[in-house]
Amino acid sequence: MLALFAALAIITPQPTAAKEKTYVFGTDVTYAPFEFADKNNKYVGIDIDLINAIAKEEGFKVVVKPLGFNAAVQALEAKQIDGVIAGMTITPERSAKFDMSIPYYPTGPVAAVAKGSAIKSMKDLRGKRVAIKTGTAAADYANSIKKKYGFSTVTFDDSNNMYQDVATGNSVACFDDQPVLQYAIATGEKLHILAKPTTVKYYGVALNKGRKDDLAAKVNAGIRKTKKDGTYNKIVAKYLGNGTVKSQRAKNAKTQDKSHTFFGLLRENWGTLMGGLGETMLVTVVAIVFATIVGIIIGLLGVVPNAFARGVSTTFIYIFRGLPLLVLALFIYTGIPSLTGTKIPAFVAGIITLTLNEGAYTAAFVKGGITAVDGGQMEAARSLGLPWGKAMRRVVLPQGLKIMVPSFVNQFIITLKDTSILSIIGILELTQTGKIIIARNMEGFKIWTMVALIYLIIITLLTWLSHWVQRKLNV
């Protein structure tokens, strides 16, 4: 395992934040117009422009990491990043946990319903289901009034799925911050805002509590300076115009895809999707190499004539095959740094996660493949005077490997699919790439169809390869 950490540390770019006065901020690039990727896959939005303007005013560099809101907050808690700027509402709970900046943007949660809906006021929500996005102030607001208006809630991880739940009629309404809902409507979502906000909250920048440097002072000073010299107003107007849906649509036209047909979207997002596929393949190949090494070692420990070694093998397989991949990924990326104070890059955390999980499955079929070889083979080899290790290496293992070949190929396919779960810690693999594109153009059905087809094509090719290998080896 130490070798795994060392190897991954070598191949993974390491941030040099402290030495170069570069600070890493996490964000959620599926939260337009505050942070999203434009048609050139460049991260833009009010928050992105603002943090860059603050950095310029205060003389530091900033790196923005697209993690997703929940992952960004957890990464901040684990001190994996220096701050979060992601349309984050200042609340007493967050102020107690993080060092929140001075307020910079006033916002208010609003409800939206499908166009033509019979829901005309909040009173019409009684007995109905509404959709909310996890971790948002709009979700907190909806939960605070649901008893009063008698509705139930269902939670989603991203805005697009929340809107689609309303569009398909599963929920009658959704709650989100007004500019975010207006952006969705401006880009084609057939929703209608029910009423103006009744409460006003403020967005702020979250930093680690108890920092010993002057980052908090710099962020607050930067917000004040950008507001005083007019930079802040220019940034807001750049994305929201005069605040109406029509003006917002006009302002964001330059960031949008030119065509919204299936093939038009495919052509315009081809490079971005292939970038996501490249990251998926890189994570898959690196993970499967380490998982195979770990799996073979643990699998062999499971068949050696030593009770302690077999116990280690059984325990490893039991623990890492039993843990959900999502839980394991979050534990490694945010849990371990919280305990040790050592940062683990998302790529390294993803590889370790897949190595442990897929390695456990690999160990199980390696162990099974060896034990499937007739026991008489080992006995015959030992009767000829071969020691246990040599008999295993020369006689049993070659026969067992032929049995394991289909399982190795299947495990590669499973690992490829499992990389999609790593989007939760911000790895920009194919699924996360799809989410980012959808956050810009709200074309969920078409983009998910493209992502699904890419996965199917790759998995079909791997399946053909598996059959070819099996025929060649006469398995």
Side-chain angles (χ1 to χ4, degrees), residues 273-293:
L273 289 168
M274 289 302 102
L277 176 61
E279 187 72 6
T280 291
M281 296 305 296
L282 175 64
V283 171
T284 302
V285 171
V286 175
I288 204 69
V289 168
F290 285 117
T292 301
I293 294 169

Side-chain angles (χ1 to χ4, degrees), residues 243-265:
T244 64
V245 172
K246 184 179 178 182
S247 178
Q248 204 166 329
R249 181 183 294 119
K251 289 292 181 183
N252 288 285
K254 291 179 181 177
T255 67
Q256 292 298 309
D257 302 286
K258 291 178 181 175
S259 171
H260 281 244
T261 65
F262 181 86
F263 290 105
L265 286 169

Side-chain angles (χ1 to χ4, degrees), residues 207-333:
L207 305 174
N208 303 123
K209 214 157 182 84
R211 292 182 69 95
K212 293 180 181 177
D213 61 11
D214 57 353
L215 180 59
K218 286 181 175 178
V219 169
N220 286 334
I223 292 173
R224 290 191 185 97
K225 287 178 184 175
T226 55
K227 286 200 170 188
K228 189 175 181 181
D229 66 14
T231 303
Y232 171 82
N233 286 337
K234 288 179 182 175
I235 291 172
V236 173
K238 178 181 174 184
Y239 294 97
L240 300 186
N242 61 13
T244 64
V245 172
K246 184 179 178 182
S247 178
Q248 204 166 329
R249 181 183 294 119
K251 289 292 181 183
N252 288 285
K254 291 179 181 177
T255 67
Q256 292 298 309
D257 302 286
K258 291 178 181 175
S259 171
H260 281 244
T261 65
F262 181 86
F263 290 105
L265 286 169
L266 180 61
R267 184 176 58 253
E268 292 185 34
N269 292 289
W270 178 256
T272 307
L273 289 168
M274 289 302 102
L277 176 61
E279 187 72 6
T280 291
M281 296 305 296
L282 175 64
V283 171
T284 302
V285 171
V286 175
I288 204 69
V289 168
F290 285 117
T292 301
I293 294 169
V294 170
I296 290 174
I297 293 171
I298 299 297
L300 287 172
L301 286 177
V303 296
V304 298
N306 181 291
F308 178 76
R310 290 198 301 274
V312 169
S313 174
T314 302
T315 304
F316 182 93
I317 294 170
Y318 178 78
I319 292 175
F320 292 110
R321 200 168 59 170
L323 282 176
L325 198 57
L326 183 66
V327 174
L328 187 58
L330 290 173
F331 177 77
I332 291 171
Y333 184 60

